[in-house]
């Protein structure tokens, strides 16, 4: 008993210390830097200013924000459209094939995602695998310009983030009572009706969780737009990278990071409030 | 027009290599309360699913209202099911649950509220229409499931062990309510249960199933009083079974030996000389006499009381016979026997009215 509680406190303390140093403290540093001045010769000058934040409203930056949102939303929607049927299928098939398919889904995790992004480049480039196949099939007459476009960035994001959509959805489908679908069918529901009125409402938690897991990284995975989007494609993730590494403008980079953290915080809050409400409801019901 | 609302012709069902149903033929009449009774794993739920359309027979046919259902998917069959676990939609209110079927069938919007409330009134749940299923007790959820099914005015209502998760008292009440509801609606109910008491008390006809085939179809009285084989006799009610053989045969009577006593019975089963038979007697058909007060007559069997169980309305005994076999008896308190006092070790005679026994061909 005593040993247990010691162990509990130790592991909890370890987690808190870890999070305190590497999450809270580093965020506070970023927050601090975002309010400091900057010039060509100094990374930061210890004087308070709002200028980094007013710079965020510069038309070019607003355009990049908008762009990032569109790409992130497209990637998330694509992941949902592909991942939802996939997760459902995965939950339905025989247990023997289930573990095999799960393995296929997880194998890419064991390879560096940077390497995998280069693989996507090899597929999409002008003389790449995809164009070669399409040309030899006679579907197109000249190679498609896919690489270094936002389409390529979206494809790269979907490819990298699909498992994060599938896993929470799969967990949700696994918990679903099959008999509810049978009951709907018994009551005369068409397939569409069953999907729209029963399946989707009952898998909402999985859908929300999947969206959170895909949307947030979509905006910050900087190497994907770097590699697949080329020089013209500047999204929030690589914008921050540029500010820190190339422009040496730490305050602006920090301000963008703080803004992004704020947006994510709001999203998490909405998600948390939602799940909290349904939890409360369930507690009342029980 | 068709008198039989459901007809099943020579249906068999196999999953992988396992035969679940074997050559089932069954007719369900318009407006009757039919029960599929059998131990778990006897295929009764699978048979129900052949009718609802969730399973297809490997061979044979299913007709509903005279039409072959081979290509008809569950949503298009005019049958509804009350599922064992109710399967209420947890994200919908009681009202929405009941309205769902009507919406699926494109019932005019104006008609829906009235029909939903009428169905809820029928199961006395009007007040709970805005609750979620989880806010209701087991019995209330059960009623919602029934309302959700009957609101669609099915030709047949299928009930898959709907009372099995309710406690004893509630189950008794729901049995009565279901029976009343069935009379009011006038539609056929096909009710699956493994509880023989439930089957006997509710049904117009009982289908006794065992290992994938129908053993007997009949009124509760028929299956109880005239079981066609040992399986039915054993499954429904308590039985005492004596294994013996026909010793001699004259005119319409047979002579068998039970506990070294000669017994003469009517030869209802057309048994032959030397044929091995089972003589089956229900505990409540046996009378018990004190050996000190009553003289030995023919057709009496001697025994010693081994256990006395007072049950309120009845006095149950376990009597050990000379051969070592024991017999269960049940006697009712009535004006002839207001006391029914027995003690362990008492020597008694057992006797039953000739003709109350059932004689069945020998089964291994």
């Amino acid at each position: 008993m005593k040993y247990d509680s010691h162990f509990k406190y130790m592991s909890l303390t370890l987690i808190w210390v870890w999070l305190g140093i590497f999450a809270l403290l580093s965020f506070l540093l970023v927050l601090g830097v975002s309010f400091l001045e900057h010039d060509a010769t100094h990374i930061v000058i210890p004087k308070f200013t709002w200028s980094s934040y007013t710079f965020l409203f510069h038309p070019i930056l607003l355009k990049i924000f908008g762009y990032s949102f569109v790409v992130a939303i497209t990637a998330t929607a694509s992941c949902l459209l592909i991942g939802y049927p996939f997760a459902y299928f995965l939950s339905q098939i025989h247990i023997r094939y289930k573990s095999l398919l799960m393995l296929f889904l997880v194998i890419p995790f064991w390879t560096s995602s940077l390497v995998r992004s280069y693989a996507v480049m090899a597929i999409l480039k002008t003389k790449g695998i995809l164009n070669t196949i399409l040309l030899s099939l006679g579907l197109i007459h000249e190679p498609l310009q896919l690489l270094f476009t936002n389409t390529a960035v979206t494809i790269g994001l979907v490819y990298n983030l699909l498992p994060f959509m599938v896993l929470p959805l799969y967990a949700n489908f696994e918990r679903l009572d099959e008999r509810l679908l049978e009951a709907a069918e018994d009551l005369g529901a068409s397939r569409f009706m069953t999907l729209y009125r029963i399946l989707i409402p009952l898998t909402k938690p999985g859908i929300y969780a999947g969206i959170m897991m895909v949307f947030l990284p979509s905006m910050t995975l900087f190497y994907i737009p770097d590699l697949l989007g080329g020089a013209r494609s500047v999204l929030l993730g690589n914008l921050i990278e540029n500010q820190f590494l190339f422009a040496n403008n730490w305050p602006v980079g920090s301000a963008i990071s703080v803004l992004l953290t704020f947006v994510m915080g709001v999203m998490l809050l909405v998600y948390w409030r939602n799940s909290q409400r349904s939890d409360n409801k369930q507690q009342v019901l029980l | 027009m068709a008198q039989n609302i459901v007809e099943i012709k020579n249906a068999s069902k196999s999953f992988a290599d396992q035969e679940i149903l074997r050559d089932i033929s069954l007719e369900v009449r318009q407006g009757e309360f039919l029960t599929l009774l059998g131990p778990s794993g006897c295929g009764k739920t699978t048979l129900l699913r052949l009718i609802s359309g969730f399973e297809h027979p490997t061979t044979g046919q299913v007709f509903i209202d005279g039409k072959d259902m081979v290509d008809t998917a569950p949503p298009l069959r005019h049958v509804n099911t009350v599922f064992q676990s109710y399967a209420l939609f947890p994200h919908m209110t009681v009202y929405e649950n009941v309205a769902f079927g009507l919406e699926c069938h494109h019932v005019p919007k104006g008609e829906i509220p009235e029909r939903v409330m009428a169905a809820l009134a029928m199961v006395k749940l009007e007040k709970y229409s805005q609750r979620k299923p989880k806010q209701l007790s087991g019995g209330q959820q059960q009623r919602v499931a029934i309302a959700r099914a009957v609101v669609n005015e099915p030709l047949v209502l299928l009930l898959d062990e709907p009372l099995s998760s309710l406690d004893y008292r509630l189950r008794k009440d729901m049995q009565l309510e279901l029976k009343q509801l069935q009379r009011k609606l006038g539609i056929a109910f096909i009710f699956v249960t493994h509880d023989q008491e439930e089957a006997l008390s509710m049904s117009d006809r009982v289908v006794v199933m065992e290992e994938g085939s129908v053993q007997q179809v009949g009124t509760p009285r028929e299956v109880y009083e005239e079981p066609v084989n040992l399986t039915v006799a054993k499954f429904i009610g308590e039985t005492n079974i004596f294994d013996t053989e026909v010793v001699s045969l004259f005119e319409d009577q047979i002579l068998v030996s039970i506990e070294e006593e000669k017994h003469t019975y009517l030869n209802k089963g057309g048994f032959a000389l030397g044929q091995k038979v089972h003589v089956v007697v229900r505990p409540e058909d046996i009378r018990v006499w004190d050996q000190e007060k009553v003289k030995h007559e023919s057709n009496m069997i001697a025994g010693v009381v081994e256990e006395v169980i007072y049950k309120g309305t009845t006095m149950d005994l376990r009597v050990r016979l000379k051969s070592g076999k024991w017999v269960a008896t049940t006697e009712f308190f009535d004006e002839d026997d207001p006391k029914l006092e027995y003690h362990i070790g008492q020597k008694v005679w057992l006797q039953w009215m000739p003709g109350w026994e059932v004689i069945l061909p020998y089964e291994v």
Side-chain angles (χ1 to χ4, degrees):
Chain A
M1 196 69 193
K2 205 165 183 188
Y3 171 79
D4 267 2
S5 67
H6 276 308
F7 182 72
K8 200 168 94 183
Y9 284 120
M10 267 206 5
S11 35
L12 279 178
T13 313
L14 198 68
I15 292 168
W16 281 115
V17 169
W18 183 275
L19 286 175
I21 295 173
F22 293 103
L24 187 65
L25 190 65
S26 46
F27 175 71
L28 289 177
L29 282 174
V30 170
L31 188 67
V33 169
S34 72
F35 289 109
L36 299 181
E37 275 182 19
H38 162 266
D39 68 18
T41 50
H42 298 84
I43 289 176
V44 291
I45 301 164
K47 260 165 84 182
F48 179 85
T49 174
W50 288 100
S51 66
S52 299
Y53 285 92
T54 47
F55 181 62
L56 293 184
F57 293 95
H58 191 282
I60 289 179
L61 278 189
L62 287 179
K63 205 171 150 192
I64 292 173
F65 292 154
Y67 226 43
S68 301
F69 264 104
V70 170
V71 167
I73 286 169
T74 316
T76 310
S78 309
C79 278
L80 186 60
L81 282 177
I82 301 166
Y84 196 81
F86 183 82
Y88 178 70
F89 175 66
L90 198 60
S91 73
Q92 293 294 307
I93 56 169
H94 193 278
I95 187 91
R96 208 184 305 157
Y97 309 109
K98 198 176 279 184
S99 34
L100 190 71
L101 275 179
M102 281 296 259
L103 191 70
F104 284 152
L105 189 71
V106 178
I107 279 177
F109 275 122
W110 299 336
T111 323
S112 152
S113 67
L114 200 61
V115 173
R116 283 185 286 126
S117 298
Y118 276 110
V120 174
M121 279 177 86
I123 293 170
L124 295 181
K125 67 185 178 189
T126 317
K127 286 183 180 170
I129 298 165
L130 186 68
N131 273 323
T132 313
I133 292 173
L134 289 177
L135 280 170
S136 66
L137 286 174
L139 290 171
I140 52 171
H141 297 294
E142 52 193 60
L144 296 174
Q145 176 58 50
L146 287 170
L147 198 58
F148 308 135
T149 63
N150 274 333
T151 315
V153 176
T154 312
I155 291 173
L157 286 171
V158 170
Y159 171 60
N160 271 290
L161 298 172
L162 188 62
F164 294 101
M165 179 62 85
V166 170
L167 291 175
L169 279 172
Y170 170 74
N172 203 156
F173 277 123
E174 279 287 280
R175 274 195 318 247
L176 194 71
D177 186 353
E178 294 282 319
R179 283 164 301 194
L180 294 176
L181 304 183
E182 239 174 44
E185 216 185 324
D186 185 81
L187 291 166
S190 60
R191 275 163 195 279
F192 174 75
M193 193 82 168
T194 308
L195 177 71
Y196 179 68
R197 294 283 307 275
I198 311 295
L199 205 52
I200 291 179
L202 287 177
T203 48
K204 257 188 198 158
I207 294 174
Y208 287 150
I211 288 176
M212 301 288 295
M213 305 267 281
V214 173
F215 187 78
L216 303 183
S218 290
M219 292 203 296
T220 50
L221 277 180
F222 63 87
Y223 55 86
I224 288 177
D226 267 1
L227 290 178
L228 302 172
R232 282 179 295 150
S233 178
V234 179
L235 300 179
L236 274 184
N238 51 348
L239 176 65
I240 297 171
E241 184 202 9
N242 285 338
Q243 292 303 319
F244 275 95
L245 297 185
F246 305 116
N248 273 332
N249 193 342
W250 284 27
V252 168
S254 298
I256 303 168
S257 298
V258 170
L259 177 77
L260 209 53
T261 309
F262 178 74
V263 171
M264 290 174 184
V266 169
M267 279 181 69
L268 278 169
L269 197 70
V270 169
Y271 173 70
W272 182 71
R273 284 282 290 274
N274 260 328
S275 57
Q276 195 76 8
R277 205 185 309 150
S278 58
D279 272 1
N280 274 344
K281 229 185 265 173
Q282 271 178 356
Q283 266 165 13
V284 171
L285 309 183
L286 287 173
Chain B
M1 52 152 235
Q3 202 209 340
N4 292 328
I5 195 72
V6 176
E7 264 180 61
I8 295 166
K9 286 187 180 156
N10 309 100
S12 300
K13 177 71 189 174
S14 305
F15 292 108
D17 294 335
Q18 236 188 333
E19 200 173 37
I20 306 295
L21 293 175
R22 200 174 310 130
D23 194 29
I24 304 257
S25 290
L26 184 69
E27 280 126 38
V28 184
R29 296 171 192 156
Q30 197 97 47
E32 79 171 329
F33 198 119
L34 185 84
T35 299
L36 305 180
L37 173 67
S40 52
C42 74
K44 52 196 193 301
T45 295
T46 307
L47 182 56
L48 200 72
R49 289 169 67 85
L50 290 186
I51 302 170
S52 59
F54 290 114
E55 305 290 351
H56 289 284
T58 314
T59 59
Q61 289 161 295
V62 176
F63 294 88
I64 296 175
D65 203 21
K67 288 186 278 286
D68 192 343
M69 286 288 125
V70 66
D71 290 323
T72 311
L76 302 173
R77 300 187 178 199
H78 289 289
V79 297
N80 285 112
T81 308
V82 176
F83 292 89
Q84 183 168 9
S85 55
Y86 319 141
L88 299 177
F89 305 127
H91 60 298
M92 296 186 188
T93 62
V94 167
Y95 179 94
E96 289 166 335
N97 263 282
V98 178
F100 185 76
L102 297 176
E103 286 163 14
C104 289
H105 288 113
H106 306 292
V107 170
K109 280 232 150 52
E111 245 180 73
I112 292 177
E114 198 182 319
R115 282 179 66 179
V116 170
M117 290 320 281
L120 286 176
M122 204 151 52
V123 294
K124 302 180 198 109
L125 281 179
E126 308 101 303
K127 278 188 227 151
Y128 299 87
S129 69
Q130 291 314 314
R131 296 240 189 136
K132 287 281 179 72
K134 274 192 179 157
Q135 291 167 298
L136 302 176
S137 70
Q140 289 167 331
Q141 290 183 29
Q142 172 68 78
R143 287 156 202 256
V144 176
I146 293 167
R148 187 177 70 170
V150 301
V151 76
N152 303 295
E153 297 172 352
L155 294 168
V156 188
L157 185 68
L158 309 175
L159 302 107
D160 187 5
E161 306 218 16
L163 309 181
S164 58
S165 52
L166 303 180
D167 64 48
Y168 182 77
R169 272 236 64 86
L170 200 54
R171 201 158 75 215
K172 289 273 159 210
D173 294 344
M174 281 305 291
Q175 284 176 10
L176 201 67
E177 270 184 50
L178 269 179
K179 186 75 196 141
Q180 287 169 347
L181 184 69
Q182 190 259 341
R183 277 205 210 98
K184 201 153 86 186
L185 293 169
I187 60 171
F189 276 32
I190 304 178
F191 184 94
V192 167
T193 182
H194 59 261
D195 182 335
Q196 45 107 359
E197 193 190 328
E198 200 165 274
L200 294 180
S201 60
M202 296 174 78
S203 323
D204 295 318
R205 289 197 305 154
V206 180
V207 178
V208 186
M209 292 181 66
E210 164 88 21
E211 287 183 357
S213 52
V214 171
Q215 302 289 325
Q216 187 172 3
V217 183
T219 62
R221 173 163 257 179
E222 279 164 2
V223 296
Y224 187 77
E225 293 184 1
E226 291 154 38
V228 295
N229 60 31
L230 211 54
T231 310
V232 177
K234 274 186 192 163
F235 192 69
I236 301 184
E238 246 193 297
T239 45
N240 297 300
I241 299 164
F242 301 97
D243 303 342
T244 178
E245 59 180 61
V246 180
V247 183
S248 68
L249 190 69
F250 41 86
E251 287 171 11
D252 58 347
Q253 294 193 308
I254 52 172
L255 195 71
V256 299
S257 151
I258 293 173
E259 295 285 311
E260 293 165 14
E261 294 269 352
K262 296 280 181 284
H263 291 242
T264 313
Y265 301 119
L266 266 178
N267 189 1
K268 283 183 275 190
F271 297 103
L273 190 62
Q275 190 178 347
K276 290 181 108 181
V277 292
H278 299 288
V279 175
V280 179
V281 189
R282 299 286 185 195
E284 67 274 18
D285 291 342
I286 297 176
R287 301 300 301 264
V288 184
W289 309 107
D290 189 342
Q291 285 196 9
E292 285 173 10
K293 292 178 187 156
V294 175
K295 271 195 290 177
H296 178 251
E297 288 173 30
S298 67
N299 286 1
M300 276 186 175
I301 301 169
V304 178
V305 175
E306 207 175 72
E307 199 72 67
V308 181
I309 306 146
Y310 173 76
K311 281 216 177 140
T313 49
T314 62
M315 182 64 91
D316 294 4
L317 301 181
R318 273 176 154 225
V319 179
R320 182 73 67 182
L321 306 182
K322 255 186 289 177
S323 65
K325 182 181 172 59
W326 64 262
V327 168
T329 73
T330 294
E331 289 188 286
F332 290 88
F333 296 97
D334 55 26
E335 63 276 17
D336 295 337
D337 297 290
K339 285 255 170 64
L340 288 177
E341 277 178 297
Y342 299 99
H343 56 87
I344 292 165
Q346 187 177 1
K347 287 187 172 167
V348 292
W349 299 115
L350 303 181
Q351 186 192 35
W352 62 88
M353 297 290 288
W356 286 16
E357 75 291 331
V358 174
I359 303 173
L360 297 170
Y362 189 80
E363 292 170 37
V364 183

